[in-house]
Amino acid sequence: MKRKVHVILKKEELLAKKLEGKTVVIFDILLATSTIAAALQQGAIEVIPVKNEEEARNKAKTYKPDEIALVGEYRGKTIEGFFDPSPSTIKQHVQDKTVILSTTNGTVAIHNAEKAKHVYAASLLNGEAVASAVCQPSQDETVLLVCSGSSDRFCLEDLYGAGYFISCLLQLKTFYLTDAAKAALLLYKAYEHSSLEILKHSVVGEMLTQYGFLDEIGFVSRKNVYSVVPKVVKKKLVNGEEMICLK
């Protein structure tokens, strides 16, 4: 029996009760999942995704200052005292450190999906590597691709990323695609060689361009340049609290 692939257009549509036994792949192409891939590829020990600035600062208190890198934005603006979550520049801040990452959408989506059997973070940068992991014989669950979106709105670049990921999956195995998955794949095939244009002309892409981050869009529009596979793992803390991180 073929595994099913379905696409959810924004994180707010995720229902915890429907995640049991499923493999979930999160996309926030601009920029959270691209930043996660870059941080781990560039030597971060792990990435702890948090829902907001307050949670990030509280998590930071449980580490020594030289053990962590606080990275984050809220509504496109870098949080005061945090490093900018830019995949192209994050290397200088994350080597051998735990990254505590707060973003408006992507890190929230990861938390929303934590009840799933497996949760991955994917981008154009590492799509093939994550697709290969999802296709391993030990995994036979329905694959749910989640476009993070932006503040309860659908994002074009995330659907394009999901379409690229589906094309990677289909090079490895045969899957049953829902109509939403077929739509993502059709979008990707129509603009397969125009990833920069798609990202640049999305609403978030236009906002980032206005903020002076056009080079960043170009950086994350590249496909299959990272081999890292960020996957959510759960850690027990000394006080008994459970925390999720990506490794």
Side-chain angles (χ1 to χ4, degrees):
M1 185 176 177
K2 295 179 185 177
R3 293 174 70 186
K4 183 167 76 172
V5 178
H6 181 53
V7 175
I8 288 182
L9 297 181
K10 53 185 182 177
K11 63 185 177 301
E12 289 80 8
E13 295 176 355
L14 266 180
L15 299 176
K17 63 183 179 182
K18 293 191 174 182
L19 293 177
E20 186 176 347
K22 291 183 172 62
T23 290
V24 172
V25 184
I26 304 292
F27 298 86
D28 185 351
I29 304 298
L30 297 172
L31 286 165
T33 55
S34 299
T35 300
I36 290 167
L40 291 173
Q41 185 76 26
Q42 303 298 344
I45 297 170
E46 61 189 1
V47 176
I48 300 173
V50 297
K51 296 178 181 178
N52 52 45
E53 176 186 350
E54 180 183 7
E55 186 180 343
R57 294 191 186 279
N58 286 336
K59 283 280 191 297
K61 292 175 184 176
T62 65
Y63 291 85
K64 296 176 181 177
D66 62 352
E67 293 177 334
I68 62 168
L70 273 173
V71 180
E73 58 76 26
Y74 181 67
R75 294 186 176 178
K77 301 285 184 68
T78 304
I79 300 170
E80 185 175 352
F82 285 49
F83 293 120
D84 190 26
S86 298
S88 68
T89 61
I90 202 167
K91 179 179 180 178
Q92 57 192 300
H93 308 303
V94 303
Q95 186 78 36
D96 298 322
K97 293 183 184 293
T98 289
V99 175
I100 300 176
L101 177 66
S102 176
T103 68
T104 312
N105 300 293
T107 54
V108 175
I110 291 168
H111 274 274
N112 289 357
E114 65 177 300
K115 298 295 185 185
K117 185 175 181 180
H118 305 288
V119 182
Y120 297 91
S123 64
L124 299 181
L125 297 167
N126 68 331
E128 285 192 19
V130 178
S132 180
V134 168
C135 287
Q136 291 303 307
S138 60
Q139 300 196 42
D140 58 4
E141 309 83 15
T142 292
V143 182
L144 189 60
L145 309 183
V146 179
C147 302
S148 294
S150 178
S151 301
D152 204 13
R153 295 188 299 271
F154 158 75
C155 283
L156 177 63
E157 70 275 9
D158 291 343
L159 188 65
Y160 183 82
Y164 166 61
F165 188 79
I166 292 167
S167 75
C168 294
L169 289 176
L170 294 177
Q171 290 176 29
L172 299 168
K173 292 183 72 173
T174 302
F175 290 82
Y176 168 79
L177 305 183
T178 65
D179 278 353
K182 289 177 181 178
L185 182 61
L186 287 170
L187 170 68
Y188 173 70
K189 285 185 173 180
Y191 297 97
E192 182 175 357
H193 304 295
S194 305
S195 56
L196 176 58
E197 294 304 308
I198 285 286
L199 269 58
K200 187 169 65 174
H201 292 297
S202 67
V203 171
V204 175
E206 289 175 347
M207 178 190 72
L208 290 173
T209 300
Q210 289 175 356
Y211 290 161
F213 292 111
L214 182 58
D215 288 346
E216 206 63 44
I217 298 172
F219 186 90
V220 303
S221 69
R222 299 173 302 150
K223 300 170 191 169
N224 190 34
V225 295
Y226 289 164
S227 59
V228 69
V229 180
K231 185 177 181 181
V232 168
V233 297
K234 296 183 178 179
K235 295 174 60 177
K236 281 280 189 182
L237 303 182
V238 175
N239 62 4
E241 179 188 352
E242 193 170 67
M243 177 182 72
I244 66 169
C245 63
L246 294 125
K247 291 189 172 183

